[in-house]
Amino acid sequence: MSELQRIPVGVLGATGMVGQHFVNFLKNHPIFDLTWVGASDRSAGKLYREATSWRLDGVMPAKTAGLTVQECKPTAAAPKLVFSAMDAGVATEIERAFAEAGHTVVSNSRNHRMEADVPLLVPEVNAEHLGMLATQKANRGWKGQIVTNPNCSTIALTMALGPLKAFGIEKIIVTTMQAISGAGYPGVPSMDITANVVPYIGSEEEKMESETQKILGAYTDGKFTDLAASVSAHCNRVPVVDGHMVAISVQLAAKPTIDEVRAAIESFRGLPQQRNLPSAPAQPVIYMTENDRPQPRRDVNRENGMAVFVGRLRKCPVLDFKMMALGHNTIRGAAGAAVLNAELMLSEGLL
Ligand code: NAP
Protein backbone atom coordinates (compact mmCIF):
# COMPACT_ATOMS: atom_id res chain seq x y z
CA MET A 1 0.00 0.00 0.00
CA SER A 2 1.49 3.39 -0.89
CA GLU A 3 1.85 6.29 1.56
CA LEU A 4 -1.19 7.94 -0.05
CA GLN A 5 -3.41 4.93 0.53
CA ARG A 6 -2.56 4.35 4.18
CA ILE A 7 -5.49 4.59 6.58
CA PRO A 8 -5.36 7.61 8.90
CA VAL A 9 -5.58 6.64 12.57
CA GLY A 10 -5.55 8.45 15.90
CA VAL A 11 -4.51 7.65 19.45
CA LEU A 12 -6.64 8.74 22.41
CA GLY A 13 -4.35 9.26 25.40
CA ALA A 14 -1.31 9.53 23.12
CA THR A 15 0.82 11.41 25.65
CA GLY A 16 0.71 8.68 28.33
CA MET A 17 2.91 5.58 28.71
CA VAL A 18 0.75 3.25 26.64
CA GLY A 19 0.00 6.08 24.21
CA GLN A 20 3.73 6.46 23.61
CA HIS A 21 3.96 2.75 22.88
CA PHE A 22 1.21 3.22 20.27
CA VAL A 23 3.14 6.12 18.72
CA ASN A 24 6.29 4.00 18.63
CA PHE A 25 4.59 0.86 17.34
CA LEU A 26 2.80 2.75 14.56
CA LYS A 27 5.78 4.81 13.37
CA ASN A 28 6.59 2.62 10.33
CA HIS A 29 3.27 0.86 9.98
CA PRO A 30 2.58 -0.17 6.37
CA ILE A 31 -1.21 0.33 6.54
CA PHE A 32 -2.02 2.70 9.41
CA ASP A 33 -0.85 6.30 9.32
CA LEU A 34 -0.87 8.09 12.69
CA THR A 35 -2.20 11.55 11.83
CA TRP A 36 -4.06 12.55 15.00
CA VAL A 37 -3.20 12.48 18.70
CA GLY A 38 -5.57 13.22 21.56
CA ALA A 39 -5.08 13.76 25.29
CA SER A 40 -6.55 15.77 28.18
CA ASP A 41 -7.24 19.48 28.05
CA ARG A 42 -3.91 19.91 29.88
CA SER A 43 -2.16 18.84 26.67
CA ALA A 44 -4.62 19.89 23.96
CA GLY A 45 -3.37 22.71 21.75
CA LYS A 46 0.31 21.95 22.39
CA LEU A 47 2.63 20.21 19.96
CA TYR A 48 3.01 16.53 20.86
CA ARG A 49 6.70 17.07 21.63
CA GLU A 50 5.82 19.84 24.09
CA ALA A 51 3.00 17.93 25.77
CA THR A 52 4.85 14.62 26.13
CA SER A 53 7.75 13.53 28.32
CA TRP A 54 9.08 10.78 26.05
CA ARG A 55 9.90 7.77 28.24
CA LEU A 56 10.67 5.06 25.69
CA ASP A 57 14.06 4.06 24.32
CA GLY A 58 15.16 6.12 21.32
CA VAL A 59 13.72 9.39 20.12
CA MET A 60 10.13 10.46 19.65
CA PRO A 61 9.05 9.80 16.03
CA ALA A 62 9.56 13.10 14.22
CA LYS A 63 6.25 13.16 12.38
CA THR A 64 4.23 12.66 15.56
CA ALA A 65 6.37 15.18 17.45
CA GLY A 66 5.03 17.90 15.18
CA LEU A 67 1.33 17.02 15.53
CA THR A 68 -0.87 19.30 17.61
CA VAL A 69 -2.53 17.42 20.46
CA GLN A 70 -6.33 17.50 20.22
CA GLU A 71 -9.01 17.20 22.84
CA CYS A 72 -10.47 13.67 22.94
CA LYS A 73 -13.70 14.65 21.20
CA PRO A 74 -15.14 12.90 18.14
CA THR A 75 -14.91 15.89 15.84
CA ALA A 76 -15.00 15.61 12.06
CA ALA A 77 -11.20 15.91 12.00
CA ALA A 78 -10.69 12.82 14.17
CA PRO A 79 -9.89 9.68 12.11
CA LYS A 80 -12.51 6.96 11.81
CA LEU A 81 -10.14 4.48 13.48
CA VAL A 82 -8.81 5.44 16.90
CA PHE A 83 -6.71 3.45 19.34
CA SER A 84 -7.39 4.19 22.98
CA ALA A 85 -4.79 4.39 25.75
CA MET A 86 -6.70 6.75 27.98
CA ASP A 87 -6.70 6.91 31.71
CA ALA A 88 -9.32 4.38 32.88
CA GLY A 89 -10.99 7.13 34.91
CA VAL A 90 -12.19 8.83 31.72
CA ALA A 91 -12.17 6.12 29.05
CA THR A 92 -15.75 4.84 29.51
CA GLU A 93 -17.56 7.98 28.38
CA ILE A 94 -15.04 9.17 25.81
CA GLU A 95 -14.72 5.82 24.05
CA ARG A 96 -18.51 5.53 23.98
CA ALA A 97 -18.84 9.03 22.50
CA PHE A 98 -16.43 8.12 19.71
CA ALA A 99 -18.30 4.88 18.95
CA GLU A 100 -21.65 6.68 18.96
CA ALA A 101 -20.29 9.19 16.49
CA GLY A 102 -19.22 6.49 14.04
CA HIS A 103 -15.61 5.80 15.01
CA THR A 104 -14.06 2.40 15.52
CA VAL A 105 -12.40 2.41 18.94
CA VAL A 106 -9.74 -0.25 19.44
CA SER A 107 -9.07 0.08 23.12
CA ASN A 108 -6.39 -1.02 25.48
CA SER A 109 -8.23 0.34 28.52
CA ARG A 110 -10.13 -1.97 30.81
CA ASN A 111 -13.38 -0.05 30.85
CA HIS A 112 -15.46 -1.90 28.23
CA ARG A 113 -13.65 -5.26 28.24
CA MET A 114 -16.22 -7.26 30.19
CA GLU A 115 -19.36 -5.80 28.62
CA ALA A 116 -21.61 -8.49 27.16
CA ASP A 117 -21.47 -7.20 23.57
CA VAL A 118 -17.84 -6.05 23.42
CA PRO A 119 -15.22 -8.41 21.95
CA LEU A 120 -12.18 -8.98 24.17
CA LEU A 121 -9.92 -10.02 21.39
CA VAL A 122 -6.71 -12.04 21.07
CA PRO A 123 -6.62 -12.49 17.29
CA GLU A 124 -4.92 -15.90 17.24
CA VAL A 125 -7.20 -17.27 19.95
CA ASN A 126 -10.74 -15.94 19.54
CA ALA A 127 -11.05 -14.12 16.20
CA GLU A 128 -14.64 -15.42 15.93
CA HIS A 129 -15.61 -13.10 18.83
CA LEU A 130 -15.62 -10.25 16.29
CA GLY A 131 -18.98 -11.70 15.20
CA MET A 132 -20.41 -9.82 18.20
CA LEU A 133 -19.93 -6.44 16.53
CA ALA A 134 -23.17 -6.71 14.55
CA THR A 135 -25.04 -7.30 17.82
CA GLN A 136 -23.16 -4.47 19.50
CA LYS A 137 -24.24 -2.02 16.80
CA ALA A 138 -27.84 -3.24 16.98
CA ASN A 139 -27.93 -3.12 20.80
CA ARG A 140 -26.36 0.28 21.16
CA GLY A 141 -27.55 2.05 18.06
CA TRP A 142 -23.97 3.16 17.47
CA LYS A 143 -22.65 4.04 14.05
CA GLY A 144 -19.21 2.96 15.24
CA GLN A 145 -17.93 0.14 17.43
CA ILE A 146 -15.62 -0.79 20.32
CA VAL A 147 -13.19 -3.69 20.45
CA THR A 148 -10.84 -4.26 23.38
CA ASN A 149 -7.65 -6.14 24.14
CA PRO A 150 -7.01 -7.88 27.45
CA ASN A 151 -4.91 -6.98 30.41
CA CYS A 152 -1.18 -7.49 29.79
CA SER A 153 -0.78 -10.60 31.96
CA THR A 154 -3.97 -12.18 30.59
CA ILE A 155 -2.64 -11.94 27.03
CA ALA A 156 0.44 -14.02 27.90
CA LEU A 157 -1.76 -16.60 29.66
CA THR A 158 -4.40 -16.91 26.94
CA MET A 159 -1.85 -17.05 24.12
CA ALA A 160 -0.07 -19.89 25.93
CA LEU A 161 -3.35 -21.72 26.56
CA GLY A 162 -4.92 -21.03 23.15
CA PRO A 163 -3.23 -24.08 21.59
CA LEU A 164 -4.67 -26.28 24.36
CA LYS A 165 -8.29 -25.18 24.00
CA ALA A 166 -9.16 -28.18 21.84
CA PHE A 167 -8.15 -30.53 24.69
CA GLY A 168 -10.90 -29.05 26.90
CA ILE A 169 -9.45 -26.75 29.57
CA GLU A 170 -10.99 -27.57 32.96
CA LYS A 171 -8.82 -25.83 35.56
CA ILE A 172 -6.10 -23.18 35.46
CA ILE A 173 -3.78 -22.05 38.24
CA VAL A 174 -1.50 -19.20 37.25
CA THR A 175 1.16 -17.28 39.16
CA THR A 176 2.56 -14.15 37.58
CA MET A 177 5.87 -12.32 37.87
CA GLN A 178 5.00 -8.96 36.35
CA ALA A 179 7.38 -6.29 35.12
CA ILE A 180 7.40 -2.80 36.57
CA SER A 181 6.62 -1.19 33.17
CA GLY A 182 3.14 -2.71 33.54
CA ALA A 183 2.42 -0.20 36.27
CA GLY A 184 2.90 2.77 33.92
CA TYR A 185 5.03 5.79 34.88
CA PRO A 186 6.35 6.44 37.50
CA GLY A 187 4.87 3.13 38.59
CA VAL A 188 5.94 1.25 41.70
CA PRO A 189 8.24 3.30 43.98
CA SER A 190 11.87 2.17 43.68
CA MET A 191 12.02 1.71 47.48
CA ASP A 192 9.28 -0.91 47.16
CA ILE A 193 10.49 -2.86 44.13
CA THR A 194 14.31 -2.80 44.22
CA ALA A 195 15.57 -6.27 45.27
CA ASN A 196 12.03 -7.18 46.25
CA VAL A 197 8.77 -8.84 45.19
CA VAL A 198 5.41 -7.20 45.85
CA PRO A 199 2.71 -9.88 46.12
CA TYR A 200 -0.20 -7.61 45.23
CA ILE A 201 -1.35 -5.78 42.08
CA GLY A 202 -4.73 -4.11 42.59
CA SER A 203 -7.62 -5.88 40.77
CA GLU A 204 -5.16 -7.85 38.62
CA GLU A 205 -6.13 -11.31 39.86
CA GLU A 206 -9.83 -10.66 39.33
CA LYS A 207 -9.16 -9.30 35.82
CA MET A 208 -6.99 -12.28 34.89
CA GLU A 209 -9.59 -14.76 36.05
CA SER A 210 -12.63 -13.19 34.39
CA GLU A 211 -10.92 -12.05 31.18
CA THR A 212 -9.42 -15.52 30.64
CA GLN A 213 -12.86 -17.12 30.90
CA LYS A 214 -14.29 -14.66 28.37
CA ILE A 215 -11.40 -14.97 25.88
CA LEU A 216 -11.21 -18.76 25.97
CA GLY A 217 -14.99 -19.04 25.97
CA ALA A 218 -17.29 -19.38 22.97
CA TYR A 219 -19.13 -16.97 20.71
CA THR A 220 -22.37 -18.15 19.13
CA ASP A 221 -25.31 -16.19 17.71
CA GLY A 222 -24.73 -12.90 19.47
CA LYS A 223 -23.71 -14.38 22.81
CA PHE A 224 -20.43 -15.03 24.61
CA THR A 225 -20.32 -18.06 26.88
CA ASP A 226 -17.49 -18.15 29.39
CA LEU A 227 -15.08 -21.05 29.41
CA ALA A 228 -16.46 -23.44 32.03
CA ALA A 229 -13.11 -23.68 33.80
CA SER A 230 -12.09 -22.49 37.21
CA VAL A 231 -9.21 -20.03 37.07
CA SER A 232 -7.08 -19.05 40.06
CA ALA A 233 -4.50 -16.26 39.66
CA HIS A 234 -1.72 -15.08 41.99
CA CYS A 235 -0.22 -11.80 40.76
CA ASN A 236 3.16 -10.43 41.82
CA ARG A 237 5.25 -7.42 40.82
CA VAL A 238 8.94 -8.23 40.35
CA PRO A 239 12.01 -6.08 39.60
CA VAL A 240 12.02 -6.73 35.84
CA VAL A 241 11.68 -3.82 33.41
CA ASP A 242 9.71 -5.44 30.55
CA GLY A 243 8.09 -8.86 30.24
CA HIS A 244 5.50 -10.64 32.32
CA MET A 245 6.29 -14.24 33.24
CA VAL A 246 3.38 -16.55 34.02
CA ALA A 247 3.73 -19.97 35.68
CA ILE A 248 0.75 -22.03 34.53
CA SER A 249 -0.75 -25.32 35.72
CA VAL A 250 -3.65 -26.64 33.67
CA GLN A 251 -6.08 -29.56 33.76
CA LEU A 252 -7.29 -30.86 30.39
CA ALA A 253 -10.39 -33.01 29.82
CA ALA A 254 -8.96 -34.99 26.90
CA LYS A 255 -5.90 -36.14 28.89
CA PRO A 256 -3.40 -35.67 26.03
CA THR A 257 0.17 -36.90 26.28
CA ILE A 258 2.93 -34.39 26.90
CA ASP A 259 4.07 -34.83 23.28
CA GLU A 260 0.58 -33.98 22.06
CA VAL A 261 0.52 -30.83 24.19
CA ARG A 262 3.90 -29.71 22.91
CA ALA A 263 2.92 -30.47 19.30
CA ALA A 264 -0.24 -28.39 19.74
CA ILE A 265 1.81 -25.45 21.01
CA GLU A 266 4.37 -25.68 18.24
CA SER A 267 1.87 -26.03 15.42
CA PHE A 268 -0.46 -23.31 16.71
CA ARG A 269 -1.24 -20.58 14.15
CA GLY A 270 -4.19 -18.22 13.82
CA LEU A 271 -5.83 -15.94 11.29
CA PRO A 272 -3.11 -13.27 11.71
CA GLN A 273 -0.52 -15.79 10.51
CA GLN A 274 -2.72 -17.20 7.73
CA ARG A 275 -3.37 -13.69 6.46
CA ASN A 276 0.18 -12.50 7.00
CA LEU A 277 -0.99 -9.44 8.95
CA PRO A 278 1.81 -6.87 9.27
CA SER A 279 2.20 -7.04 13.06
CA ALA A 280 1.66 -10.79 13.39
CA PRO A 281 4.62 -12.88 14.51
CA ALA A 282 5.25 -15.79 12.12
CA GLN A 283 4.71 -18.14 15.06
CA PRO A 284 2.54 -16.72 17.86
CA VAL A 285 3.65 -19.13 20.59
CA ILE A 286 7.28 -20.21 20.48
CA TYR A 287 8.29 -23.28 22.47
CA MET A 288 11.79 -23.10 23.97
CA THR A 289 13.54 -26.35 24.83
CA GLU A 290 16.25 -25.01 27.17
CA ASN A 291 15.68 -25.79 30.86
CA ASP A 292 16.12 -22.17 31.91
CA ARG A 293 14.07 -20.32 29.27
CA PRO A 294 12.13 -18.21 28.52
CA GLN A 295 13.69 -15.30 30.41
CA PRO A 296 12.50 -11.68 30.23
CA ARG A 297 15.88 -10.07 29.62
CA ARG A 298 16.90 -12.53 26.93
CA ASP A 299 13.67 -13.24 25.12
CA VAL A 300 11.14 -10.47 25.57
CA ASN A 301 12.16 -8.34 22.60
CA ARG A 302 12.39 -11.17 20.08
CA GLU A 303 9.75 -11.20 17.31
CA ASN A 304 9.23 -7.45 17.86
CA GLY A 305 7.69 -8.24 21.25
CA MET A 306 4.66 -9.84 19.56
CA ALA A 307 5.19 -13.57 20.28
CA VAL A 308 4.65 -15.41 23.55
CA PHE A 309 7.46 -17.73 24.62
CA VAL A 310 6.67 -20.98 26.41
CA GLY A 311 9.05 -23.42 28.06
CA ARG A 312 9.47 -26.01 30.78
CA LEU A 313 6.39 -27.99 29.82
CA ARG A 314 6.15 -30.87 32.25
CA LYS A 315 3.67 -33.04 34.14
CA CYS A 316 1.93 -31.44 37.10
CA PRO A 317 1.22 -33.72 40.07
CA VAL A 318 -1.83 -31.63 41.03
CA LEU A 319 -3.37 -30.67 37.67
CA ASP A 320 -2.17 -32.28 34.38
CA PHE A 321 0.61 -30.07 32.98
CA LYS A 322 2.64 -27.06 34.01
CA MET A 323 4.75 -24.62 32.02
CA MET A 324 6.22 -21.11 31.96
CA ALA A 325 5.18 -18.38 29.53
CA LEU A 326 6.57 -14.92 28.81
CA GLY A 327 4.93 -12.02 26.99
CA HIS A 328 6.01 -8.42 26.36
CA ASN A 329 3.55 -6.52 28.55
CA THR A 330 3.59 -3.16 26.78
CA ILE A 331 3.82 -4.51 23.21
CA ARG A 332 1.93 -7.80 22.92
CA GLY A 333 0.21 -6.89 26.19
CA ALA A 334 -0.89 -3.40 25.11
CA ALA A 335 -0.13 -1.33 21.99
CA GLY A 336 0.91 -4.17 19.67
CA ALA A 337 -2.14 -6.18 20.70
CA ALA A 338 -4.51 -3.36 19.78
CA VAL A 339 -2.81 -2.71 16.44
CA LEU A 340 -3.04 -6.42 15.58
CA ASN A 341 -6.72 -6.32 16.55
CA ALA A 342 -7.27 -3.49 14.06
CA GLU A 343 -5.33 -5.32 11.35
CA LEU A 344 -7.56 -8.36 11.86
CA MET A 345 -10.67 -6.17 11.73
CA LEU A 346 -9.46 -4.63 8.47
CA SER A 347 -8.85 -8.08 7.00
CA GLU A 348 -12.39 -9.06 8.04
CA GLY A 349 -13.87 -6.00 6.31
CA LEU A 350 -14.89 -4.51 9.66
CA LEU A 351 -13.21 -1.10 9.33
P1 NAP B 1 -0.95 7.43 31.70
O1 NAP B 1 0.51 7.39 31.41
O2 NAP B 1 -1.40 8.07 32.94
O3 NAP B 1 -1.66 8.16 30.45
C1 NAP B 1 -3.00 8.49 30.48
C2 NAP B 1 -3.38 9.19 29.21
O4 NAP B 1 -4.78 9.57 29.32
C3 NAP B 1 -2.61 10.50 28.94
O5 NAP B 1 -2.43 10.66 27.56
C4 NAP B 1 -3.56 11.57 29.47
O6 NAP B 1 -3.37 12.84 28.86
C5 NAP B 1 -4.89 10.97 29.05
N1 NAP B 1 -5.98 11.56 29.80
C6 NAP B 1 -6.07 11.76 31.14
N2 NAP B 1 -7.23 12.40 31.43
C7 NAP B 1 -7.87 12.61 30.26
C8 NAP B 1 -9.09 13.24 29.89
N3 NAP B 1 -9.89 13.77 30.82
N4 NAP B 1 -9.42 13.26 28.59
C9 NAP B 1 -8.62 12.72 27.65
N5 NAP B 1 -7.45 12.13 27.92
C10 NAP B 1 -7.07 12.07 29.21
O7 NAP B 1 -1.58 5.96 31.70
P2 NAP B 1 -1.01 4.61 31.00
O8 NAP B 1 -0.12 3.90 31.94
O9 NAP B 1 -0.52 4.94 29.64
O10 NAP B 1 -2.34 3.74 30.88
C11 NAP B 1 -3.35 4.07 29.94
C12 NAP B 1 -4.43 3.03 29.93
O11 NAP B 1 -3.90 1.78 29.53
C13 NAP B 1 -5.07 2.79 31.30
O12 NAP B 1 -6.43 2.55 31.11
C14 NAP B 1 -4.34 1.57 31.82
O13 NAP B 1 -5.12 0.87 32.75
C15 NAP B 1 -4.12 0.80 30.55
N6 NAP B 1 -2.97 -0.10 30.58
C16 NAP B 1 -1.73 0.33 30.96
C17 NAP B 1 -0.64 -0.54 30.87
C18 NAP B 1 0.75 -0.10 31.19
O14 NAP B 1 1.67 -0.86 30.94
N7 NAP B 1 0.93 1.11 31.68
C19 NAP B 1 -0.80 -1.82 30.42
C20 NAP B 1 -2.04 -2.22 30.04
C21 NAP B 1 -3.10 -1.35 30.13
P3 NAP B 1 -2.48 13.99 29.55
O15 NAP B 1 -1.04 13.66 29.27
O16 NAP B 1 -2.92 15.22 28.84
O17 NAP B 1 -2.79 13.99 31.01
Side-chain angles (χ1 to χ4, degrees), residues 6 39 45 51-52 55 75 112 117 120 128 143-144 175 187 291 340:
R6 285 161 79 210
T52 306
R55 307 216 183 266
T75 60
H112 297 283
D117 57 2
L120 180 55
E128 70 281 6
K143 286 186 268 169
T175 301
N291 279 338
L340 188 60

Side-chain angles (χ1 to χ4, degrees), residues 11-22 38-44 51-52 69-73 84-91 94-95 107-111 113 149-153 179-186 207 237 244 329-330 333-335:
V11 174
L12 304 167
T15 53
M17 267 318 287
V18 176
Q20 293 179 31
H21 277 284
F22 273 111
S40 77
D41 54 11
R42 296 179 290 278
S43 306
T52 306
V69 178
Q70 307 295 318
E71 281 188 80
C72 288
K73 291 189 176 154
S84 173
M86 270 180 301
D87 187 291
V90 299
I94 296 176
E95 291 182 358
S107 179
N108 179 62
S109 297
R110 66 169 181 267
N111 304 54
R113 283 181 196 153
N149 64 255
N151 175 269
C152 41
S153 49
I180 50 179
S181 59
Y185 190 89
K207 277 190 270 181
R237 189 75 69 193
H244 289 352
N329 51 296
T330 57

